Amino acid sequence: MEGGNTKTGQKIVVAVDESRESMHALFWCLSNLVSPTSNSTLVLLYVRPPPPIYSPFDAAGYMFSGDAISTMEKYGKDLVNSVMQRAEAVYRNFNVKVERVVGRGEAKDVICNTVEKLDADILVMGSHGYGFLKRAILGSVSDHCAKHVKCPVVIVKHPEEN
Amino acid sequence: MEGGNTKTGQKIVVAVDESRESMHALFWCLSNLVSPTSNSTLVLLYVRPPPPIYSPFDAAGYMFSGDAISTMEKYGKDLVNSVMQRAEAVYRNFNVKVERVVGRGEAKDVICNTVEKLDADILVMGSHGYGFLKRAILGSVSDHCAKHVKCPVVIVKHPEEN
């Protein structure tokens, strides 16, 4: 048991989104939890919001066209690619196996379910500093996950957002 | 930036108390965040409750003797030693520099203040699974710390208490 970093082959889920904070969390994870000998797998988890239920008419009474809906779907997919590309720029110089998972639904539920389903060893995520009021009333995603997942949870804040 | 565990000389605060969970958190920290080359310092932080304000009489109307008060103080100190000894049994086989800090007051405030004062890089603590009601109403120590400290916070649950 001499030394440390004795655990190998761990599955580390990192929840990523559009925020700088989540990219910082990813970098923190790579710098602190992954070593060349640890043989860890990093699972990048991005959660798309649940599909909106479109009324055939918008607020102004105009009918939504199929085109508009497919444009919004395409925007969502572009966002996934954009986030994954930003993540790749962070992990590309680290010697680590990376898997990508894209979920859909309420972020807090999808993250908890994915961690459980994958039997992950660690969950890493940004704190999502929504400010006192929103956090106090709604609870944040990280609060929820810290309470509900079984494995250790690392909550990382962006230094400039403190 | 190849590999990982690039950060050295980090100051890691581990909040320890009488619970099995906090000893598990300490072991998790040693196994995952400390390596022989990382030159990290582990700060074991134990928080004693604030000193009670003794009425000269107890509920039954008997006067508290100085002896009773000093006995309670001694019990508190014995508890510190007991926790630190249990912690030592966990970290003794790891190659890491350890400092001990004993604070006094409300755990959540003392932990946050100590992390800030020491300019710590990471805070590791147990989740203190108080159950839904108490957690929802009062908030737990780990909830509070995860919201208020600036550095990354690792919340570790004991596997058997999930």
Side-chain angles (χ1 to χ4, degrees):
Chain A
M1 211 162 65
E2 182 75 23
N5 293 109
T6 50
K7 289 186 183 170
T8 59
Q10 295 200 110
K11 195 173 278 178
I12 305 172
V13 172
V14 183
V16 290
D17 59 19
E18 298 81 3
S19 67
R20 284 196 308 168
E21 200 174 52
S22 79
M23 292 301 142
H24 179 70
L26 172 60
F27 182 75
W28 186 92
C29 172
L30 290 158
S31 304
N32 287 278
L33 293 173
V34 175
S35 76
T37 56
S38 63
N39 192 31
S40 299
T41 301
L42 216 64
V43 180
L44 294 182
L45 171 61
Y46 178 84
V47 185
R48 296 179 63 187
I53 300 162
Y54 297 108
S55 156
F57 298 97
D58 71 2
Y62 290 105
M63 199 164 174
F64 271 118
S65 70
D67 278 358
I69 295 170
S70 63
T71 300
M72 284 184 264
E73 276 298 298
K74 187 182 175 306
Y75 171 74
K77 283 177 188 164
D78 288 348
L79 209 55
V80 176
N81 293 335
S82 159
V83 170
M84 289 301 183
Q85 277 169 16
R86 288 177 59 197
E88 193 179 349
V90 178
Y91 70 72
R92 104 168 30 115
N93 293 319
F94 287 85
N95 183 14
V96 65
K97 191 163 57 178
V98 176
E99 291 174 7
R100 298 171 177 196
V101 174
V102 178
R104 188 150 204 179
E106 286 299 329
K108 60 184 186 177
D109 299 326
V110 175
I111 293 170
C112 291
N113 292 343
T114 306
V115 165
E116 193 176 347
K117 196 173 159 190
L118 295 176
D119 196 20
D121 297 287
I122 308 171
L123 168 63
V124 180
M125 60 193 310
S127 75
H128 292 71
Y130 289 127
F132 173 72
L133 197 62
K134 200 165 178 186
R135 188 192 293 276
I137 295 172
L138 298 177
S140 73
V141 176
S142 59
D143 279 358
H144 180 91
C145 296
K147 280 177 193 161
H148 292 93
V149 304
K150 293 177 181 174
C151 67
V153 179
V154 188
I155 300 172
V156 184
K157 292 177 186 167
H158 195 284
E160 289 170 26
E161 284 164 19
N162 274 308
Chain B
M1 210 162 65
E2 183 75 25
N5 293 109
T6 52
K7 289 186 184 172
T8 58
Q10 294 201 110
K11 195 173 277 178
I12 306 171
V13 172
V14 183
V16 289
D17 58 19
E18 299 80 5
S19 67
R20 281 195 311 167
E21 198 174 52
S22 80
M23 291 302 142
H24 180 70
L26 172 61
F27 182 74
W28 186 93
C29 172
L30 290 157
S31 304
N32 287 278
L33 293 171
V34 175
S35 76
T37 56
S38 63
N39 193 30
S40 299
T41 302
L42 215 65
V43 180
L44 293 182
L45 171 60
Y46 178 84
V47 185
R48 295 179 63 188
I53 300 164
Y54 297 108
S55 155
F57 298 97
D58 70 4
Y62 291 104
M63 200 164 174
F64 270 118
S65 69
D67 277 358
I69 294 170
S70 63
T71 300
M72 283 184 265
E73 276 298 298
K74 187 180 173 306
Y75 171 73
K77 285 178 188 164
D78 288 348
L79 209 53
V80 177
N81 292 335
S82 159
V83 171
M84 289 300 183
Q85 277 170 16
R86 287 177 59 196
E88 192 180 347
V90 178
Y91 71 72
R92 104 167 30 113
N93 292 321
F94 288 85
N95 183 16
V96 63
K97 192 163 59 180
V98 176
E99 292 174 8
R100 298 173 178 194
V101 174
V102 178
R104 187 150 202 179
E106 287 298 330
K108 60 184 186 177
D109 299 325
V110 175
I111 293 170
C112 291
N113 292 342
T114 305
V115 166
E116 192 176 348
K117 195 172 160 191
L118 295 176
D119 196 19
D121 298 285
I122 308 169
L123 167 63
V124 181
M125 60 194 309
S127 74
H128 292 72
Y130 289 126
F132 173 73
L133 197 64
K134 199 165 179 184
R135 187 190 295 273
I137 296 172
L138 299 176
S140 72
V141 175
S142 59
D143 279 357
H144 180 92
C145 295
K147 281 178 191 160
H148 292 91
V149 304
K150 294 176 180 175
C151 67
V153 178
V154 188
I155 299 173
V156 184
K157 292 176 186 168
H158 195 285
E160 289 170 27
E161 283 164 19
N162 274 310

